């Protein structure tokens, strides 16, 4: 619990604030408080957390969200993996089932293009069972691949081309650990959870900072507004909440 609280922090100022709350709380034992102090130093170094930042402009906040391997709050998906998945007739999988080669493990910099997908789930157990959203996304990815150097002879266009940047995507179903337990017949019945405690903690941290991918100045949002279900994009809760910050 202590580690999870500190793991979600994206600056040294925030992690120090969380540490102070832990140290001043009667909920934690002296051993837990000592562990928190040691964990803070380790996390600060591991994530290279800046002293203070605007989390929606500095790439350090993006990197803080993806560092930590399986414990990381978010996994970014390689565009190359999605293109191969579609070509081979595959369907997207929840994060816990992704092969290692699907996940971006580098650091976000000016050599990386970050995309965030805003779309509608086709079904509450699986967002894209018929691969329709995957086809739409890959259509855009193929365009980006084909136009990397288009018009480079013109300085104004050369400045906005992506050139050799690696393309990675935040796609919620693949980027966050998913609960695959069936929904109960009655809303009064509790729903189980197929995830491990570590995966639940990761999901919680990822969900807490999910707006980061839709607001950040160094991420581009794909507004996939065609919904492959009866309820339209404009009438859906999550897309409606994602679209306004993406327009900032």
């Amino acid at each position: 619990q202590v580690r999870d609280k500190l793991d979600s922090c994206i600056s040294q100022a925030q992690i120090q604030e969380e540490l102070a709350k832990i140290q001043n709380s009667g909920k934690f034992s002296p051993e837990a408080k000592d562990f928190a102090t040691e964990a803070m130093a380790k996390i600060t170094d591991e994530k290279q957390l800046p002293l203070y930042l605007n989390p929606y402009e500095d790439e350090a906040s993006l990197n803080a969200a993806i560092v930590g391997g399986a414990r990381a709050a978010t996994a970014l998906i390689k565009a190359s993996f999605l293109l191969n998945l579609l070509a081979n007739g595959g369907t997207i999988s929840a994060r816990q089932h992704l092969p290692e080669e699907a996940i971006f493990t580098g650091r976000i910099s000016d050599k990386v293009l970050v995309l965030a997908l805003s779309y509608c789930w086709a079904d509450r157990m699986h967002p894209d069972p018929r691969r329709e959203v995957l086809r739409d996304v890959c259509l855009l990815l193929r365009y980006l691949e084909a136009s990397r150097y288009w018009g480079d002879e013109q300085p104004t266009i050369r400045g906005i081309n992506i050139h050799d940047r690696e393309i990675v995507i935040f796609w919620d179903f693949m980027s966050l650990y998913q609960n695959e337990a069936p929904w109960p017949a009655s809303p009064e019945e509790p729903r189980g959870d197929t995830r491990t405690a570590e995966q639940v903690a990761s999901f919680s941290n990822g969900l807490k900072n999910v707006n980061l991918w839709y607001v950040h100045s160094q991420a581009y949002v794909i507004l996939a507004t065609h919904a492959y279900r009866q309820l339209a994009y404009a009438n859906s809760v999550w897309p409606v909440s994602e679209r306004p910050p993406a327009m900032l």
Side-chain angles (χ1 to χ4, degrees), residues 220-234:
Y220 295 82
V221 180
I222 305 171
L223 297 176
T225 57
H226 183 87
Y228 294 100
R229 65 181 190 189
Q230 187 173 0
L231 187 64
Y233 178 95

Side-chain angles (χ1 to χ4, degrees), residues 59-84:
E59 65 191 27
S61 60
L62 299 179
N63 282 309
I66 64 173
V67 169
R71 290 179 56 93
T74 304
L76 294 179
I77 312 304
K78 296 179 181 178
S80 57
F81 171 78
L82 295 177
L83 290 167
N84 288 333

Side-chain angles (χ1 to χ4, degrees), residues 143-154 157-158 160-165:
Y143 167 78
L144 292 175
E145 289 290 347
S147 61
R148 284 181 178 274
Y149 301 96
W150 184 86
D152 252 11
E153 64 277 4
Q154 302 179 47
I157 295 179
R158 188 186 311 123
I160 61 175
N161 277 347
I162 65 173
H163 298 136
D164 292 329
R165 296 169 74 182

Side-chain angles (χ1 to χ4, degrees), residues 47-103:
K47 294 188 174 184
Q48 298 182 26
L49 294 179
L51 288 173
Y52 182 79
L53 53 81
N54 179 338
Y56 303 116
E57 294 182 358
D58 196 315
E59 65 191 27
S61 60
L62 299 179
N63 282 309
I66 64 173
V67 169
R71 290 179 56 93
T74 304
L76 294 179
I77 312 304
K78 296 179 181 178
S80 57
F81 171 78
L82 295 177
L83 290 167
N84 288 333
L85 185 67
L86 180 67
N88 293 324
T91 304
I92 64 169
S93 304
R95 176 176 172 182
Q96 56 263 45
H97 303 306
L98 290 175
E100 289 184 8
E101 62 268 21
I103 300 174

Side-chain angles (χ1 to χ4, degrees), residues 3-10 14 47 205 208-209:
R3 172 81 190 206
D4 293 335
K5 284 179 177 292
L6 300 178
D7 256 343
S8 65
C9 297
I10 56 177
Q14 186 182 8
K47 294 188 174 184
N205 288 333
K208 188 184 303 181
N209 292 316

Side-chain angles (χ1 to χ4, degrees), residues 212-248:
L212 182 70
W213 305 102
Y214 298 97
V215 180
H216 203 284
S217 63
Q218 296 187 44
Y220 295 82
V221 180
I222 305 171
L223 297 176
T225 57
H226 183 87
Y228 294 100
R229 65 181 190 189
Q230 187 173 0
L231 187 64
Y233 178 95
N235 298 325
S236 303
V237 175
W238 276 106
V240 166
S241 67
E242 293 160 356
R243 184 168 185 165
M247 307 301 287
L248 294 176

Side-chain angles (χ1 to χ4, degrees), residues 121-186:
W121 282 43
D123 182 87
R124 63 179 179 176
M125 287 302 295
H126 193 288
D128 191 31
R130 297 177 296 277
R131 308 192 313 144
E132 291 152 320
V133 179
L134 178 61
R135 282 197 295 270
D136 290 346
V137 170
C138 286
L139 183 64
L140 172 63
L141 295 179
R142 286 195 295 269
Y143 167 78
L144 292 175
E145 289 290 347
S147 61
R148 284 181 178 274
Y149 301 96
W150 184 86
D152 252 11
E153 64 277 4
Q154 302 179 47
T156 53
I157 295 179
R158 188 186 311 123
I160 61 175
N161 277 347
I162 65 173
H163 298 136
D164 292 329
R165 296 169 74 182
E166 182 173 1
I167 304 173
V168 297
I169 301 174
F170 172 81
W171 188 328
D172 59 356
F173 188 65
M174 291 184 283
S175 295
L176 307 175
Y177 291 112
Q178 302 298 317
N179 180 8
E180 298 178 305
W183 289 88
S186 167

